[in-house]
Amino acid sequence: MFTEVIKSGGKVASVLFAACLWAVAADAAVVPIVATGLADNRGNDQHCYQEAAQDAVAQALRQAMSGMTGRAQAESAIPTLLADRTVLKSIKLRKKSMNALGQCEVSLRAVIDQSRLQEVVEGKLAASIQVHDRQLSPIGAVMRFLVDGKVAEDAGFDTKESLTALGQALRKYNVELVSLDPVATIFARQEIPQWQAVTGDVQSDGAVTGDSAQTAQYVREAVHQALQMSLNALDQAELQSFDLLLTGQSDVRYIGRDPQGPGHVAQVSSYLELVAVNGMGTVATTTNTGLQKGPTREAAIRKAMIYSLEGNATALAAQIRKAAAKMQAEGQIYNVVVTNLTSNRKQLRPLIKGLQVGGAVLKKGRSDGDDVSKFNIAYRGDLAGLEDLLGTVLDRLAADYPSVDYKINGNLIQVTF
């Protein structure tokens, strides 16, 4: 590919890579990147400079990928991208020389379509997930949407299409999203401050202000507190079959008519938090801001609501996978609910000890009531192994409690004496 570049000796100021003389489309999201490549000289100068030029273009592609989620998976695509005209629009040689170590050194300017490159990177990430990773347990979703300071439903906007759009975007990463409507209904009306983390706008209505980092932390804590209050109202029953929960808020403000053309403009700022259900610990957070246009005020607001979630899909997928991988390494988390207890000493203690002897690890989050106990365990074996362990432990207790039984539903284990 790069043979023509290295034939011209030292006169390289205006030499173009012959195989890369491609016109850049006027509407392409392109960016020029200057990069330098190196190669060891093994006695063939032409071949040496060719390898250095290939290394320089590869470095330019890596620079363009910087910050893109999934860039590690896309590393294997670089040899193919070296000849991809939809990504690599043009290359111009700037300089070539032998450095002090006797290596061939080539400096060039590459024009890269970052939008197309992002598609390639995301495609590689999705393919990697599909091939190498197991199907994740469904992720619960509890979101709050605000429109001009009001709960979206109260302002006449349906939020389901926003979650549907996010769910469809996540599905290509093998992530299934389930909306927990009962929790979300309560959560939407908890007291949560308006989002000011990105814009830092000063509001006359007493909304939170300050620098973006401080405000983001304030909003995060308020969202988490409101979520916990909502879950407490339902005794967290809606979450028993989930490992992870996606929560947060999307704040949409109508700006007005588009000053640059027909239509209307809405601004959106969103904060999303990925929560580990057991112990309700924060796993990851992500934010998104932007302007969306529509032919009407309502259309612009609806587009902004969808964008506020859908625009986070790639980052969320990577964070979900990372959290799930960590959980898998530590063992699958199960929520155990034991009912009809009459004696902790004779029933609960032998049950927990038997599970621990069989390899289960007791985790944080235990709570005991009058005749009910809830606790969490991590188990690294498969479901069949867990069922064998439970059966063995409960068989020992059946002599005194013949009606004892268990049921496993997703991540929920119910034991009834």
Side-chain angles (χ1 to χ4, degrees), residues 31-76:
V31 59
I33 295 178
V34 175
T36 299
L38 299 171
D40 292 329
N41 193 345
R42 298 179 179 87
N44 186 327
D45 288 358
Q46 180 173 319
H47 183 68
C48 181
Y49 281 120
Q50 183 177 346
E51 287 186 340
Q54 288 177 324
D55 183 53
V57 179
Q59 295 302 328
L61 288 167
R62 290 188 180 95
Q63 288 183 46
M65 289 180 192
S66 178
M68 294 183 181
T69 302
R71 60 188 181 279
Q73 287 79 4
E75 180 72 23
S76 63

mmCIF file of all heavy atoms in Angstrom, residues 31-76:
data_model
loop_
_atom_site.group_PDB
_atom_site.id
_atom_site.type_symbol
_atom_site.label_atom_id
_atom_site.label_comp_id
_atom_site.label_asym_id
_atom_site.label_seq_id
_atom_site.Cartn_x
_atom_site.Cartn_y
_atom_site.Cartn_z
ATOM 1 N N VAL A 31 -11.241 14.541 10.909
ATOM 2 C CA VAL A 31 -10.276 15.255 11.724
ATOM 3 C C VAL A 31 -8.882 14.902 11.221
ATOM 4 O O VAL A 31 -8.591 13.740 10.939
ATOM 5 C CB VAL A 31 -10.416 14.872 13.212
ATOM 6 C CG1 VAL A 31 -10.211 13.392 13.417
ATOM 7 C CG2 VAL A 31 -9.450 15.671 14.075
ATOM 8 N N PRO A 32 -8.000 15.912 11.052
ATOM 9 C CA PRO A 32 -6.626 15.625 10.646
ATOM 10 C C PRO A 32 -5.769 15.278 11.861
ATOM 11 O O PRO A 32 -5.869 15.925 12.904
ATOM 12 C CB PRO A 32 -6.174 16.933 9.996
ATOM 13 C CG PRO A 32 -6.976 17.983 10.702
ATOM 14 C CD PRO A 32 -8.292 17.350 11.069
ATOM 15 N N ILE A 33 -4.930 14.278 11.730
ATOM 16 C CA ILE A 33 -4.056 13.852 12.816
ATOM 17 C C ILE A 33 -2.643 13.668 12.276
ATOM 18 O O ILE A 33 -2.441 12.999 11.263
ATOM 19 C CB ILE A 33 -4.547 12.531 13.440
ATOM 20 C CG1 ILE A 33 -5.909 12.751 14.117
ATOM 21 C CG2 ILE A 33 -3.542 12.004 14.459
ATOM 22 C CD1 ILE A 33 -6.492 11.493 14.713
ATOM 23 N N VAL A 34 -1.670 14.251 12.954
ATOM 24 C CA VAL A 34 -0.270 14.090 12.594
ATOM 25 C C VAL A 34 0.322 13.011 13.490
ATOM 26 O O VAL A 34 0.165 13.056 14.714
ATOM 27 C CB VAL A 34 0.507 15.409 12.745
ATOM 28 C CG1 VAL A 34 2.002 15.182 12.478
ATOM 29 C CG2 VAL A 34 -0.055 16.462 11.787
ATOM 30 N N ALA A 35 0.983 12.022 12.871
ATOM 31 C CA ALA A 35 1.543 10.918 13.638
ATOM 32 C C ALA A 35 2.886 10.508 13.048
ATOM 33 O O ALA A 35 3.176 10.764 11.878
ATOM 34 C CB ALA A 35 0.582 9.726 13.646
ATOM 35 N N THR A 36 3.699 9.858 13.873
ATOM 36 C CA THR A 36 5.017 9.396 13.455
ATOM 37 C C THR A 36 5.135 7.905 13.700
ATOM 38 O O THR A 36 4.695 7.400 14.743
ATOM 39 C CB THR A 36 6.121 10.133 14.238
ATOM 40 O OG1 THR A 36 6.020 11.533 13.966
ATOM 41 C CG2 THR A 36 7.501 9.639 13.824
ATOM 42 N N GLY A 37 5.736 7.211 12.723
ATOM 43 C CA GLY A 37 5.935 5.776 12.842
ATOM 44 C C GLY A 37 7.399 5.408 12.730
ATOM 45 O O GLY A 37 8.191 6.125 12.108
ATOM 46 N N LEU A 38 7.756 4.289 13.337
ATOM 47 C CA LEU A 38 9.129 3.808 13.342
ATOM 48 C C LEU A 38 9.185 2.364 12.852
ATOM 49 O O LEU A 38 8.224 1.604 13.010
ATOM 50 C CB LEU A 38 9.732 3.885 14.742
ATOM 51 C CG LEU A 38 9.837 5.260 15.398
ATOM 52 C CD1 LEU A 38 10.259 5.117 16.853
ATOM 53 C CD2 LEU A 38 10.809 6.147 14.637
ATOM 54 N N ALA A 39 10.346 2.006 12.276
ATOM 55 C CA ALA A 39 10.584 0.622 11.883
ATOM 56 C C ALA A 39 12.077 0.360 11.895
ATOM 57 O O ALA A 39 12.889 1.250 11.597
ATOM 58 C CB ALA A 39 10.005 0.348 10.494
ATOM 59 N N ASP A 40 12.464 -0.863 12.259
ATOM 60 C CA ASP A 40 13.876 -1.255 12.257
ATOM 61 C C ASP A 40 14.345 -1.509 10.828
ATOM 62 O O ASP A 40 13.627 -2.114 10.022
ATOM 63 C CB ASP A 40 14.081 -2.510 13.102
ATOM 64 C CG ASP A 40 13.842 -2.259 14.584
ATOM 65 O OD1 ASP A 40 14.092 -1.123 15.033
ATOM 66 O OD2 ASP A 40 13.386 -3.186 15.277
ATOM 67 N N ASN A 41 15.540 -1.035 10.536
ATOM 68 C CA ASN A 41 16.113 -1.206 9.195
ATOM 69 C C ASN A 41 16.867 -2.534 9.142
ATOM 70 O O ASN A 41 17.845 -2.744 9.857
ATOM 71 C CB ASN A 41 17.055 -0.041 8.875
ATOM 72 C CG ASN A 41 17.431 -0.007 7.410
ATOM 73 O OD1 ASN A 41 17.226 -0.973 6.685
ATOM 74 N ND2 ASN A 41 17.976 1.113 6.970
ATOM 75 N N ARG A 42 16.397 -3.422 8.289
ATOM 76 C CA ARG A 42 17.040 -4.732 8.136
ATOM 77 C C ARG A 42 17.785 -4.850 6.807
ATOM 78 O O ARG A 42 17.949 -5.935 6.265
ATOM 79 C CB ARG A 42 15.990 -5.829 8.252
ATOM 80 C CG ARG A 42 15.282 -5.862 9.614
ATOM 81 C CD ARG A 42 14.227 -6.946 9.687
ATOM 82 N NE ARG A 42 13.578 -6.975 10.985
ATOM 83 C CZ ARG A 42 12.524 -6.237 11.302
ATOM 84 N NH1 ARG A 42 12.016 -5.392 10.414
ATOM 85 N NH2 ARG A 42 11.979 -6.323 12.501
ATOM 86 N N GLY A 43 18.204 -3.683 6.254
ATOM 87 C CA GLY A 43 18.986 -3.688 5.032
ATOM 88 C C GLY A 43 18.231 -3.308 3.787
ATOM 89 O O GLY A 43 18.827 -3.118 2.721
ATOM 90 N N ASN A 44 16.911 -3.163 3.881
ATOM 91 C CA ASN A 44 16.088 -2.770 2.733
ATOM 92 C C ASN A 44 15.386 -1.472 3.079
ATOM 93 O O ASN A 44 14.368 -1.463 3.766
ATOM 94 C CB ASN A 44 15.076 -3.872 2.409
ATOM 95 C CG ASN A 44 14.293 -3.594 1.133
ATOM 96 O OD1 ASN A 44 14.008 -2.442 0.797
ATOM 97 N ND2 ASN A 44 13.942 -4.670 0.426
ATOM 98 N N ASP A 45 15.922 -0.335 2.600
ATOM 99 C CA ASP A 45 15.380 0.971 2.973
ATOM 100 C C ASP A 45 13.925 1.111 2.554
ATOM 101 O O ASP A 45 13.094 1.647 3.301
ATOM 102 C CB ASP A 45 16.204 2.091 2.331
ATOM 103 C CG ASP A 45 17.569 2.239 2.990
ATOM 104 O OD1 ASP A 45 17.836 1.498 3.964
ATOM 105 O OD2 ASP A 45 18.358 3.082 2.531
ATOM 106 N N GLN A 46 13.622 0.674 1.357
ATOM 107 C CA GLN A 46 12.250 0.834 0.855
ATOM 108 C C GLN A 46 11.247 0.107 1.745
ATOM 109 O O GLN A 46 10.218 0.659 2.136
ATOM 110 C CB GLN A 46 12.155 0.311 -0.577
ATOM 111 C CG GLN A 46 10.743 0.443 -1.175
ATOM 112 C CD GLN A 46 10.713 0.079 -2.640
ATOM 113 O OE1 GLN A 46 11.610 0.431 -3.392
ATOM 114 N NE2 GLN A 46 9.691 -0.634 -3.041
ATOM 115 N N HIS A 47 11.556 -1.127 2.070
ATOM 116 C CA HIS A 47 10.669 -1.906 2.938
ATOM 117 C C HIS A 47 10.615 -1.297 4.334
ATOM 118 O O HIS A 47 9.558 -1.267 4.989
ATOM 119 C CB HIS A 47 11.163 -3.353 3.006
ATOM 120 C CG HIS A 47 10.273 -4.247 3.817
ATOM 121 N ND1 HIS A 47 9.003 -4.596 3.428
ATOM 122 C CD2 HIS A 47 10.478 -4.849 5.028
ATOM 123 C CE1 HIS A 47 8.460 -5.375 4.347
ATOM 124 N NE2 HIS A 47 9.336 -5.552 5.330
ATOM 125 N N CYS A 48 11.739 -0.773 4.813
ATOM 126 C CA CYS A 48 11.801 -0.168 6.145
ATOM 127 C C CYS A 48 10.876 1.040 6.238
ATOM 128 O O CYS A 48 10.108 1.189 7.187
ATOM 129 C CB CYS A 48 13.243 0.217 6.446
ATOM 130 S SG CYS A 48 13.486 0.960 8.082
ATOM 131 N N TYR A 49 10.955 1.933 5.224
ATOM 132 C CA TYR A 49 10.087 3.116 5.241
ATOM 133 C C TYR A 49 8.619 2.734 5.080
ATOM 134 O O TYR A 49 7.726 3.392 5.625
ATOM 135 C CB TYR A 49 10.508 4.083 4.138
ATOM 136 C CG TYR A 49 11.715 4.912 4.504
ATOM 137 C CD1 TYR A 49 12.887 4.859 3.737
ATOM 138 C CD2 TYR A 49 11.700 5.751 5.613
ATOM 139 C CE1 TYR A 49 14.000 5.614 4.071
ATOM 140 C CE2 TYR A 49 12.803 6.509 5.961
ATOM 141 C CZ TYR A 49 13.961 6.434 5.191
ATOM 142 O OH TYR A 49 15.061 7.185 5.532
ATOM 143 N N GLN A 50 8.378 1.684 4.321
ATOM 144 C CA GLN A 50 6.995 1.227 4.163
ATOM 145 C C GLN A 50 6.424 0.785 5.507
ATOM 146 O O GLN A 50 5.289 1.130 5.864
ATOM 147 C CB GLN A 50 6.942 0.075 3.161
ATOM 148 C CG GLN A 50 5.524 -0.415 2.867
ATOM 149 C CD GLN A 50 5.518 -1.506 1.816
ATOM 150 O OE1 GLN A 50 6.506 -1.723 1.119
ATOM 151 N NE2 GLN A 50 4.410 -2.190 1.707
ATOM 152 N N GLU A 51 7.206 0.027 6.276
ATOM 153 C CA GLU A 51 6.749 -0.411 7.589
ATOM 154 C C GLU A 51 6.563 0.776 8.538
ATOM 155 O O GLU A 51 5.606 0.803 9.335
ATOM 156 C CB GLU A 51 7.754 -1.397 8.190
ATOM 157 C CG GLU A 51 7.754 -2.763 7.541
ATOM 158 C CD GLU A 51 8.654 -3.730 8.278
ATOM 159 O OE1 GLU A 51 9.542 -3.260 9.038
ATOM 160 O OE2 GLU A 51 8.478 -4.940 8.114
ATOM 161 N N ALA A 52 7.466 1.768 8.458
ATOM 162 C CA ALA A 52 7.347 2.957 9.305
ATOM 163 C C ALA A 52 6.089 3.737 8.958
ATOM 164 O O ALA A 52 5.409 4.283 9.844
ATOM 165 C CB ALA A 52 8.587 3.834 9.159
ATOM 166 N N ALA A 53 5.774 3.820 7.653
ATOM 167 C CA ALA A 53 4.563 4.527 7.241
ATOM 168 C C ALA A 53 3.306 3.819 7.745
ATOM 169 O O ALA A 53 2.354 4.454 8.218
ATOM 170 C CB ALA A 53 4.516 4.635 5.709
ATOM 171 N N GLN A 54 3.308 2.489 7.667
ATOM 172 C CA GLN A 54 2.178 1.727 8.200
ATOM 173 C C GLN A 54 2.027 1.960 9.702
ATOM 174 O O GLN A 54 0.907 2.117 10.217
ATOM 175 C CB GLN A 54 2.384 0.237 7.921
ATOM 176 C CG GLN A 54 2.215 -0.134 6.463
ATOM 177 C CD GLN A 54 2.502 -1.602 6.223
ATOM 178 O OE1 GLN A 54 3.385 -2.187 6.849
ATOM 179 N NE2 GLN A 54 1.762 -2.196 5.313
ATOM 180 N N ASP A 55 3.142 1.987 10.414
ATOM 181 C CA ASP A 55 3.104 2.232 11.853
ATOM 182 C C ASP A 55 2.569 3.622 12.149
ATOM 183 O O ASP A 55 1.806 3.819 13.108
ATOM 184 C CB ASP A 55 4.508 2.068 12.449
ATOM 185 C CG ASP A 55 4.524 2.245 13.960
ATOM 186 O OD1 ASP A 55 3.742 1.566 14.642
ATOM 187 O OD2 ASP A 55 5.307 3.075 14.442
ATOM 188 N N ALA A 56 2.931 4.620 11.323
ATOM 189 C CA ALA A 56 2.456 5.991 11.534
ATOM 190 C C ALA A 56 0.948 6.084 11.359
ATOM 191 O O ALA A 56 0.253 6.747 12.152
ATOM 192 C CB ALA A 56 3.162 6.936 10.561
ATOM 193 N N VAL A 57 0.414 5.430 10.321
ATOM 194 C CA VAL A 57 -1.037 5.455 10.114
ATOM 195 C C VAL A 57 -1.744 4.726 11.246
ATOM 196 O O VAL A 57 -2.796 5.168 11.735
ATOM 197 C CB VAL A 57 -1.406 4.838 8.752
ATOM 198 C CG1 VAL A 57 -2.933 4.846 8.570
ATOM 199 C CG2 VAL A 57 -0.753 5.605 7.617
ATOM 200 N N ALA A 58 -1.165 3.621 11.700
ATOM 201 C CA ALA A 58 -1.753 2.897 12.831
ATOM 202 C C ALA A 58 -1.789 3.776 14.078
ATOM 203 O O ALA A 58 -2.777 3.787 14.824
ATOM 204 C CB ALA A 58 -0.962 1.612 13.097
ATOM 205 N N GLN A 59 -0.712 4.538 14.305
ATOM 206 C CA GLN A 59 -0.681 5.450 15.451
ATOM 207 C C GLN A 59 -1.744 6.536 15.319
ATOM 208 O O GLN A 59 -2.375 6.944 16.299
ATOM 209 C CB GLN A 59 0.715 6.075 15.586
ATOM 210 C CG GLN A 59 1.834 5.102 15.919
ATOM 211 C CD GLN A 59 1.589 4.338 17.208
ATOM 212 O OE1 GLN A 59 0.968 4.831 18.150
ATOM 213 N NE2 GLN A 59 2.069 3.102 17.238
ATOM 214 N N ALA A 60 -1.951 7.026 14.092
ATOM 215 C CA ALA A 60 -2.987 8.041 13.859
ATOM 216 C C ALA A 60 -4.367 7.485 14.173
ATOM 217 O O ALA A 60 -5.207 8.163 14.785
ATOM 218 C CB ALA A 60 -2.923 8.527 12.408
ATOM 219 N N LEU A 61 -4.607 6.241 13.759
ATOM 220 C CA LEU A 61 -5.895 5.611 14.058
ATOM 221 C C LEU A 61 -6.080 5.432 15.558
ATOM 222 O O LEU A 61 -7.175 5.654 16.092
ATOM 223 C CB LEU A 61 -5.981 4.261 13.353
ATOM 224 C CG LEU A 61 -6.157 4.318 11.831
ATOM 225 C CD1 LEU A 61 -5.905 2.952 11.206
ATOM 226 C CD2 LEU A 61 -7.547 4.810 11.464
ATOM 227 N N ARG A 62 -5.019 5.060 16.251
ATOM 228 C CA ARG A 62 -5.116 4.912 17.712
ATOM 229 C C ARG A 62 -5.421 6.249 18.380
ATOM 230 O O ARG A 62 -6.187 6.309 19.337
ATOM 231 C CB ARG A 62 -3.815 4.318 18.257
ATOM 232 C CG ARG A 62 -3.588 2.860 17.879
ATOM 233 C CD ARG A 62 -2.384 2.278 18.604
ATOM 234 N NE ARG A 62 -2.165 0.881 18.230
ATOM 235 C CZ ARG A 62 -1.330 0.479 17.293
ATOM 236 N NH1 ARG A 62 -0.596 1.379 16.632
ATOM 237 N NH2 ARG A 62 -1.193 -0.811 17.005
ATOM 238 N N GLN A 63 -4.795 7.312 17.894
ATOM 239 C CA GLN A 63 -5.095 8.645 18.439
ATOM 240 C C GLN A 63 -6.555 8.996 18.222
ATOM 241 O O GLN A 63 -7.219 9.546 19.103
ATOM 242 C CB GLN A 63 -4.197 9.695 17.779
ATOM 243 C CG GLN A 63 -2.736 9.642 18.199
ATOM 244 C CD GLN A 63 -1.930 10.755 17.562
ATOM 245 O OE1 GLN A 63 -2.369 11.911 17.549
ATOM 246 N NE2 GLN A 63 -0.770 10.416 17.013
ATOM 247 N N ALA A 64 -7.071 8.695 17.026
ATOM 248 C CA ALA A 64 -8.472 9.012 16.725
ATOM 249 C C ALA A 64 -9.425 8.191 17.584
ATOM 250 O O ALA A 64 -10.540 8.633 17.879
ATOM 251 C CB ALA A 64 -8.752 8.760 15.244
ATOM 252 N N MET A 65 -8.999 6.995 17.987
ATOM 253 C CA MET A 65 -9.834 6.142 18.839
ATOM 254 C C MET A 65 -9.783 6.556 20.307
ATOM 255 O O MET A 65 -10.595 6.094 21.109
ATOM 256 C CB MET A 65 -9.361 4.686 18.756
ATOM 257 C CG MET A 65 -9.622 3.978 17.460
ATOM 258 S SD MET A 65 -8.994 2.271 17.587
ATOM 259 C CE MET A 65 -9.083 1.772 15.871
ATOM 260 N N SER A 66 -8.829 7.392 20.670
ATOM 261 C CA SER A 66 -8.646 7.758 22.069
ATOM 262 C C SER A 66 -9.949 8.276 22.668
ATOM 263 O O SER A 66 -10.591 9.166 22.119
ATOM 264 C CB SER A 66 -7.563 8.835 22.188
ATOM 265 O OG SER A 66 -7.400 9.239 23.528
ATOM 266 N N GLY A 67 -10.346 7.705 23.778
ATOM 267 C CA GLY A 67 -11.576 8.117 24.446
ATOM 268 C C GLY A 67 -12.796 7.348 24.009
ATOM 269 O O GLY A 67 -13.859 7.480 24.623
ATOM 270 N N MET A 68 -12.681 6.532 22.957
ATOM 271 C CA MET A 68 -13.830 5.757 22.495
ATOM 272 C C MET A 68 -13.942 4.472 23.306
ATOM 273 O O MET A 68 -12.971 3.732 23.455
ATOM 274 C CB MET A 68 -13.691 5.395 21.013
ATOM 275 C CG MET A 68 -13.740 6.572 20.058
ATOM 276 S SD MET A 68 -13.654 6.004 18.318
ATOM 277 C CE MET A 68 -13.690 7.594 17.463
ATOM 278 N N THR A 69 -15.123 4.186 23.812
ATOM 279 C CA THR A 69 -15.353 2.943 24.519
ATOM 280 C C THR A 69 -15.287 1.788 23.536
ATOM 281 O O THR A 69 -15.947 1.805 22.510
ATOM 282 C CB THR A 69 -16.732 2.970 25.209
ATOM 283 O OG1 THR A 69 -16.780 4.080 26.091
ATOM 284 C CG2 THR A 69 -16.971 1.685 25.986
ATOM 285 N N GLY A 70 -14.484 0.787 23.844
ATOM 286 C CA GLY A 70 -14.339 -0.352 22.957
ATOM 287 C C GLY A 70 -13.081 -0.305 22.116
ATOM 288 O O GLY A 70 -12.868 -1.171 21.275
ATOM 289 N N ARG A 71 -12.229 0.700 22.366
ATOM 290 C CA ARG A 71 -11.032 0.836 21.529
ATOM 291 C C ARG A 71 -10.095 -0.367 21.693
ATOM 292 O O ARG A 71 -9.373 -0.721 20.761
ATOM 293 C CB ARG A 71 -10.286 2.129 21.848
ATOM 294 C CG ARG A 71 -9.792 2.266 23.270
ATOM 295 C CD ARG A 71 -9.250 3.666 23.520
ATOM 296 N NE ARG A 71 -8.753 3.842 24.865
ATOM 297 C CZ ARG A 71 -9.529 4.098 25.919
ATOM 298 N NH1 ARG A 71 -10.834 4.203 25.758
ATOM 299 N NH2 ARG A 71 -9.015 4.261 27.123
ATOM 300 N N ALA A 72 -10.087 -0.992 22.864
ATOM 301 C CA ALA A 72 -9.229 -2.161 23.058
ATOM 302 C C ALA A 72 -9.651 -3.295 22.125
ATOM 303 O O ALA A 72 -8.810 -3.968 21.523
ATOM 304 C CB ALA A 72 -9.276 -2.619 24.516
ATOM 305 N N GLN A 73 -10.972 -3.500 21.995
ATOM 306 C CA GLN A 73 -11.458 -4.552 21.113
ATOM 307 C C GLN A 73 -11.183 -4.211 19.650
ATOM 308 O O GLN A 73 -11.040 -5.090 18.815
ATOM 309 C CB GLN A 73 -12.972 -4.756 21.313
ATOM 310 C CG GLN A 73 -13.343 -5.440 22.619
ATOM 311 C CD GLN A 73 -13.319 -4.511 23.814
ATOM 312 O OE1 GLN A 73 -13.086 -3.316 23.679
ATOM 313 N NE2 GLN A 73 -13.577 -5.041 24.999
ATOM 314 N N ALA A 74 -11.112 -2.889 19.333
ATOM 315 C CA ALA A 74 -10.908 -2.466 17.948
ATOM 316 C C ALA A 74 -9.450 -2.536 17.515
ATOM 317 O O ALA A 74 -9.146 -2.341 16.338
ATOM 318 C CB ALA A 74 -11.434 -1.040 17.763
ATOM 319 N N GLU A 75 -8.534 -2.811 18.442
ATOM 320 C CA GLU A 75 -7.119 -2.891 18.091
ATOM 321 C C GLU A 75 -6.881 -3.915 16.979
ATOM 322 O O GLU A 75 -6.058 -3.700 16.086
ATOM 323 C CB GLU A 75 -6.305 -3.263 19.337
ATOM 324 C CG GLU A 75 -4.812 -3.369 19.115
ATOM 325 C CD GLU A 75 -4.123 -2.027 18.910
ATOM 326 O OE1 GLU A 75 -4.694 -1.002 19.361
ATOM 327 O OE2 GLU A 75 -3.045 -2.008 18.301
ATOM 328 N N SER A 76 -7.620 -5.009 17.013
ATOM 329 C CA SER A 76 -7.443 -6.056 15.999
ATOM 330 C C SER A 76 -7.906 -5.614 14.622
ATOM 331 O O SER A 76 -7.564 -6.239 13.623
ATOM 332 C CB SER A 76 -8.222 -7.310 16.407
ATOM 333 O OG SER A 76 -9.619 -7.037 16.457
#
